[in-house]
Amino acid sequence: MASSDFARLPGFRDFAPDEMALRRHVFGAWGRVARRYAFRQYDGPPLEPLELYVEKSGEEIVGQLYAFTDRGGREVAMRPEMTPSLARILAERSRAMPKPIRWFSTPQLFRYERQQRGRLREHFQWNVDIVGEAGVSADAEVLAVALDGLRELGLGPDDVRARVSDRRLLAAILDGLGVSPDDHVAAFGVIDKVERQPRERSLERLTDEAGMSSAAAETLLSLLEEGDIDDVRTTFGDHPAVGEALDGFEAYLGLLDALGFGAFIDFDLRIVRGLAYYTGIVFEVFDARGELRAVCGGGRYDRLLELVGGQPLPAVGFGMGDVVLTELLRDLDRLPDVAPGVDYFIAIIGDDLRPRALDLARQLRDAGSSVAYPLKSQAVRKQFKAAENEGAKRVIVMAPDEVERGEAVVRDMESGWERTVSLDRLVGALEGE
Ligand code: HAM
C-alpha cells in the first residue's frame, strides 16, 4: 500500500504541538472573555439526528452535511454548526432554568465545503448565545463578547470591522418598496450575494426572482451600497415598521457604544446571513482589509427553540471560527511565539549519576517545574544542544566531581551565567527565584 493511502483527508487538520499551542492560545482567549461576560460552558454530541438540520439551518448547510445511516438505521449527521444542538439541549431543559441563559461552547464542526482559503471541512467555532431575552441589550451584549474576544487576541478597530444589520429592518424596507412577503426570502437570497455578483446581475435577479420593479430594485441597491441610517430614515421614514426597526437598531448601537465597541461597528444592510433561522439583528465580523472570509457571524433567532419542540424563547448569539481567525492573526503578525520552553534540562555526565539526576527531576517536578533530561547516554555538547531544542531556561549539570561534593552547576541559558548550588538546597533555592 502506498503511503499516500494514509494521507490526511482533504480539508482536515493535524495539530502538531506548534499548531496545538496556537489553538490553545485562541481557545484560552475565548474562554477568558466568555467568563468575564458571565457565560457558562456547555457541549453536546458531535453526531446528531439529520432532521435537526433539515429546514432549520437552510439549504446551504444541508448541502454540506456529512450524513449517513447508522447501524441502527438512524439518519444522522456530524454537526455542521452548534445552534440547532443548543436549541435541542435547551428544548429539553429550559423550562426549569432561570432566564436569561448565557452559555458558550467551542465545538468542532464538520461541513463538506469546496476548499478555499479560510474554508476547511472541519473547524472549531466559539459559540456564545443568550437565550430568553428579546431586548436589544442581549444583542449588544453578544456582539460585545465577540469583539472583546478579538481584542483579547490583540485585534482593534483598525484590524476588524463588525458589519451589522437587521433582517426586520430589511423586511420593512422591502415592504416599503412594495415587495410581497412571499418574495422576501428570494430578495434576501439575492441581497446576501450582492457583493459577490455584478450589479447588473443583482438588478436582474431582484426583478426576476423577487418580483421587484426596476425602479424599486435600483433604490434598494443604492441603499445597500452606500445607505446609512439617516438615508433609510429619509427614504422610508413614514413607514411605521421601518421607523420601529430603526429605533431599536439605534438603541442597539447606543448600547454597543456604552460597552466600548462603537469604533468597531459599521451599519451595512448587505449583511443578511445565509442561515435560515435569523429573525432580527444580524452581524458578521471581517478583517478590515477585506481579504478574508468572515471571522464571525451571528444574530437573533427567536423562533428556533420552538421549531425544535421547546418552549418559545427568544435567542441571540454568534459563531467565531478558528480557521479564519488564525489566518488573520498570522497575516497581522499577532500570533505568539510558540517555541517549547521547559524550566530545567538536567545534563548527566556519566551514567552512574542517572539515578541522582532522576531523583532531582522528580523533586523539581513535584515542586511544579517542567523538567527534561537525556533518555540515553550522550556527549555534553549534544546534551546542551538538546537543552536548546527544549527551550530550557536553565541547565543543571550533574558531573562526578561536583556531585561528589554534593553540588551541581546551574547555567542560565539566556544570560550564560553559571553558579554552583548545593544539591540538598537546589530545589528550594531555584524554586524560590
Ligand atoms: P456561520 O456563519 O455558518 O454561523 O459560521 C460562523 C463562522 O464560522 C464563520 O464566520 C467562519 O469564520 C466559521 N466557519 C464556518 N464554516 C467554516 C468552514 N467550513 N471552515 C472554516 N471556518 C468556517 C453559524 O454557524 C451559526 N450557527 C452561528 C450562530 C451561533 N448564530 C447564532 N448563534
Side-chain angles (χ1 to χ4, degrees), residues 81 83 111 113 118-120 123 125 127 129 273 275 277-278 294-299 301 317-319 321 323-324:
E81 57 155 337
T83 317
R111 299 182 189 180
E113 296 230 31
R119 290 282 125 157
L120 298 177
H123 71 285
Q125 202 187 80
N127 275 251
D129 294 86
R273 307 273 299 130
L275 294 158
Y277 46 67
Y278 294 109
V295 181
C296 166
Y301 52 101
F318 69 82
V323 179
V324 184

Side-chain angles (χ1 to χ4, degrees), residues 13 61 64 80-84 86 109-113 118-129 273-275 277-278 283-285 293-301 316-325:
R13 293 171 290 175
I61 282 203
Q64 297 168 338
E81 57 155 337
M82 196 60 178
T83 317
L86 173 66
L109 306 176
F110 306 87
R111 299 182 189 180
Y112 197 89
E113 296 230 31
R119 290 282 125 157
L120 298 177
R121 293 188 175 154
E122 146 280 312
H123 71 285
F124 289 93
Q125 202 187 80
W126 185 29
N127 275 251
V128 176
D129 294 86
R273 307 273 299 130
L275 294 158
Y277 46 67
Y278 294 109
F283 62 88
E284 288 189 346
V285 181
R293 309 192 53 135
V295 181
C296 166
R300 179 164 282 286
Y301 52 101
V316 53
F318 69 82
M320 181 182 294
D322 70 325
V323 179
V324 184
L325 178 55

Side-chain angles (χ1 to χ4, degrees), residues 35-87:
R35 267 181 286 278
R36 266 183 232 152
Y37 283 75
F39 284 78
R40 299 184 64 204
Q41 190 163 10
Y42 72 99
D43 202 354
L47 201 65
E48 289 275 16
L50 173 65
E51 214 201 328
L52 190 59
Y53 306 106
V54 176
E55 280 169 36
K56 286 134 208 139
S57 296
E59 272 169 45
E60 190 170 335
I61 282 203
V62 171
Q64 297 168 338
L65 283 175
Y66 277 89
F68 56 95
T69 311
D70 78 4
R71 285 165 192 261
R74 295 173 204 89
E75 295 298 320
V76 295
M78 304 281 285
R79 61 184 175 195
E81 57 155 337
M82 196 60 178
T83 317
S85 298
L86 173 66

Side-chain angles (χ1 to χ4, degrees), residues 139-196:
D139 297 72
E141 183 83 344
V142 293
L143 181 51
V145 178
L147 293 171
D148 223 353
L150 294 169
R151 202 167 59 169
E152 181 81 0
L153 290 162
L155 301 171
D158 292 338
D159 306 311
V160 283
R161 308 294 310 163
R163 298 168 59 188
V164 297
S165 182
D166 184 343
R167 279 197 179 192
R168 266 171 314 201
L169 175 61
L170 195 57
I173 291 172
L174 290 174
D175 193 54
L177 287 167
V179 182
S180 109
D182 293 346
D183 289 328
H184 282 193
V185 173
F188 279 16
V190 180
I191 295 165
D192 188 36
K193 300 274 175 318
V194 152
E195 284 178 273
R196 279 165 277 161

Side-chain angles (χ1 to χ4, degrees), residues 311-351:
Q311 104 192 96
L313 277 177
V316 53
F318 69 82
M320 181 182 294
D322 70 325
V323 179
V324 184
L325 178 55
T326 308
E327 280 199 20
L328 176 59
L329 292 171
R330 185 170 289 119
D331 282 1
L332 298 176
D333 206 12
R334 307 276 161 83
L335 284 172
D337 179 13
V338 293
V342 298
D343 297 318
Y344 300 103
F345 187 95
I346 304 178
I348 308 169
I349 302 179
D351 248 5

